[in-house]
Every structure is written in structure tokens, then in C-alpha cells.
């Protein structure tokens, strides 16, 4: 069965420090991968998605970047964190093989607090 | 552009009472619709989804949802809630075109509180 791993679970970082969040998927190949951010009272915002190695689409211009160095690995990064980057970050993989399988499975999330 | 509206930010229901969470969407074609549940500090768990066929969809944990195209709605229901149902509920819409790569658009969520 397919599983998605996301770490770390919590992170406290000072303003101006770098960031690296990692997400890996097991049990599937060539998944669509997504990074979402959840801020209080604002629902989930799609940040990046990737349909293959090295292919990244950005939905919202901001202080973050994403990379996909391997088929089942998706990384969210920042060179210098801002206070506004605080939030709950969720990785997801999408099964789009057939319409009946279409859906998204989410990781357990990373709570990022920038201080 | 697609959008999802969940008009109720908070809903309080007594344990054992029935529940209906509202969701309205805006989408130009036939949408794929989802309901997810999130417990505090956790990821999202899929409750159910609709993509075609029967407009009444059964999900996990005793939930169901009905797709009403004329009202652009996909409301979530449960006949009798349990204290463990207290959580945040998200409605989402997506498109399968392009292999579903574009991601889901989520509503802002409804926080469900269960009174004893």
C-alpha cells in the first residue's frame, strides 16, 4: 500500500534562517506531489506541485521554493525565513491513474514556527 | 477559476444529534468533489469523494454526502454524531483534466464542536 512520510513534525526556526522540509512517498511510482500551507482561519493554500522529477509548478509567488530530486521525494525550502512563513505545511501525493482512483493522500504535516 | 465556499466557520452539535455541513462550489465543468477531516495537529483524512454516478456518496465513519448540480452543493451529513467526530472538516474540488495534476481547491473549513 502507498504511504507518505513527512518530517519533521514540528520546527521552530529564527527569522532569516534556512528551511528544508522533506516528503517521501512509498508504494507508488511517478506520483503527482503537492505542498500545501495551512494558516489559521485561511484553509489550505496550494504552494507547489510536481508531475515529475525536476518539474515544479508554483501557485503562489513567495519566499519558498520546492524541488523534486527523485521520483518519490519532494522538498520545500527557503533561504531566509520570514515571520509570515509560520504555519502548518502539508505534503500530499495525488493518484490520477484513473478517474475512479483520483484523489489525494496527505502526510501528517509539519508545524513551522518562525520566531 | 474554481472555488469552494463553506459558509459555516463553526458548528456546535449535541452528541447523538444529526449533522449537516454545507459546501458550495464554483466550477465550469463536472467537478470532482471531496470531503476531508482533520484532527488537531494532524494531516487530512479522506472521508468520501464524488466523481460520477450516484449523487449520494457513502464514506467512512458513517458519513455521506449528496451532490446537487442545480445548487452547486456537496453537503456532508451524518445521522448521529459521536464525540470523536469533533474536528475540522474541509470540502474540496478538483479537476481530472490533465491527469489531475493541478491539485485541489479547498474551502476554509468548518470547525465541528460536539456538546455532551
Amino acid at each position: 500500500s502507498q504511504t507518505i512520510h513527512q518530517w519533521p513534525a514540528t520546527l521552530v526556526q529564527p527569522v532569516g534562517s534556512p528551511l528544508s522540509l522533506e516528503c517521501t512517498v512509498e508504494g507508488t511510482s511517478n506520483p503527482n506531489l503537492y505542498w500545501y500551507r495551512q494558516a489559521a482561519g485561511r484553509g489550505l493554500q496550494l504552494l507547489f506541485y510536481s508531475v515529475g522529477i525536476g518539474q515544479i509548478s508554483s501557485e503562489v509567488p513567495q519566499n519558498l521554493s520546492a524541488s523534486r530530486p527523485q521520483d518519490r521525494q519532494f522538498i520545500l525550502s527557503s533561504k531566509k525565513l520570514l515571520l509570515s512563513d509560520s504555519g502548518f505545511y502539508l505534503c500530499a501525493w495525488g493518484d490520477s491513474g484513473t478517474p475512479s482512483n483520483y484523489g489525494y493522500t496527505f502526510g501528517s504535516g509539519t508545524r513551522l514556527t518562525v520566531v | 477559476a474554481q472555488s469552494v465556499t463553506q459558509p459555516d466557520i463553526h458548528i456546535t452539535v449535541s452528541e447523538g444529534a444529526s449533522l449537516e455541513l454545507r459546501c458550495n462550489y464554483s466550477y465550469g465543468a463536472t467537478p470532482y468533489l471531496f470531503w476531508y477531516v482533520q484532527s488537531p495537529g494532524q494531516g487530512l483524512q479522506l472521508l468520501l469523494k464524488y466523481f460520477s454516478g450516484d449523487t449520494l456518496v457513502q464514506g467512512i465513519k458513517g458519513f455521506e454526502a449528496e451532490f446537487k448540480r442545480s445548487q452547486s452543493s456537496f453537503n456532508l451529513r451524518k445521522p448521529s454524531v459521536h464525540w470523536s467526530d469533533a474536528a475540522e472538516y474541509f470540502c474540496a474540488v478538483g479537476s481530472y483534466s490533465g491527469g489531475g495534476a493541478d491539485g485541489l481547491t479547498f474551502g476554509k473549513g468548518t470547525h465541528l464542536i460536539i456538546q455532551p
Side-chain angles (χ1 to χ4, degrees):
Chain A
S1 63
Q2 303 92 350
T3 56
I4 180 168
H5 303 280
Q6 192 178 341
W7 67 91
T10 60
L11 192 59
V12 180
Q13 291 285 98
V15 169
S17 64
L19 172 73
S20 181
L21 303 181
E22 188 164 345
C23 171
T24 59
V25 181
E26 295 178 356
T28 187
S29 59
N30 197 32
N32 295 333
L33 296 172
Y34 305 85
W35 279 110
Y36 282 87
R37 177 169 61 196
Q38 186 177 25
R42 296 184 61 184
L44 284 87
Q45 179 186 38
L46 178 62
L47 303 176
F48 302 94
Y49 68 90
S50 171
V51 299
I53 295 174
Q55 300 179 63
I56 307 295
S57 297
S58 174
E59 289 294 300
V60 182
Q62 56 205 322
N63 187 41
L64 302 170
S65 63
S67 62
R68 185 169 176 175
Q70 300 180 40
D71 181 44
R72 288 168 288 180
Q73 183 185 30
F74 203 25
I75 298 172
L76 182 69
S77 304
S78 174
K79 292 183 179 178
K80 289 185 177 181
L81 283 169
L82 306 172
L83 288 174
S84 58
D85 292 323
S86 294
F88 192 52
Y89 289 81
L90 288 158
C91 179
W93 78 273
D95 185 341
S96 56
T98 63
S100 61
N101 290 336
Y102 177 47
Y104 295 76
T105 300
F106 285 81
S108 55
T110 296
R111 172 71 60 192
L112 172 65
T113 304
V114 182
V115 296
Chain B
Q2 57 199 38
S3 66
V4 176
T5 301
Q6 293 179 248
D8 303 305
I9 298 174
H10 301 278
I11 282 188
T12 300
V13 178
S14 298
E15 189 170 15
S18 63
L19 170 70
E20 183 170 29
L21 302 182
R22 295 184 290 165
C23 172
N24 293 99
Y25 68 91
S26 174
Y27 188 68
T30 299
Y32 285 73
L33 294 161
F34 303 79
W35 274 101
Y36 285 87
V37 61
Q38 184 182 35
S39 298
Q42 301 298 312
L44 276 70
Q45 180 183 23
L46 179 66
L47 287 175
L48 48 79
K49 67 180 181 183
Y50 168 81
F51 66 98
S52 70
D54 193 348
T55 56
L56 184 62
V57 181
Q58 301 298 320
I60 63 171
K61 304 185 179 186
F63 285 93
E64 66 178 25
E66 186 171 12
F67 171 58
K68 292 185 177 180
R69 184 188 302 274
S70 61
Q71 299 178 19
S72 297
S73 70
F74 188 56
N75 294 348
L76 182 71
R77 301 192 295 247
K78 187 170 185 178
S80 177
V81 297
H82 186 262
W83 65 267
S84 60
D85 293 323
E88 193 84 14
Y89 290 80
F90 292 94
C91 181
V93 64
S95 165
Y96 188 71
S97 61
D102 295 342
L104 297 179
T105 298
F106 284 84
K108 293 188 176 182
T110 297
H111 184 60
L112 176 63
I113 300 168
I114 306 296
Q115 282 184 336

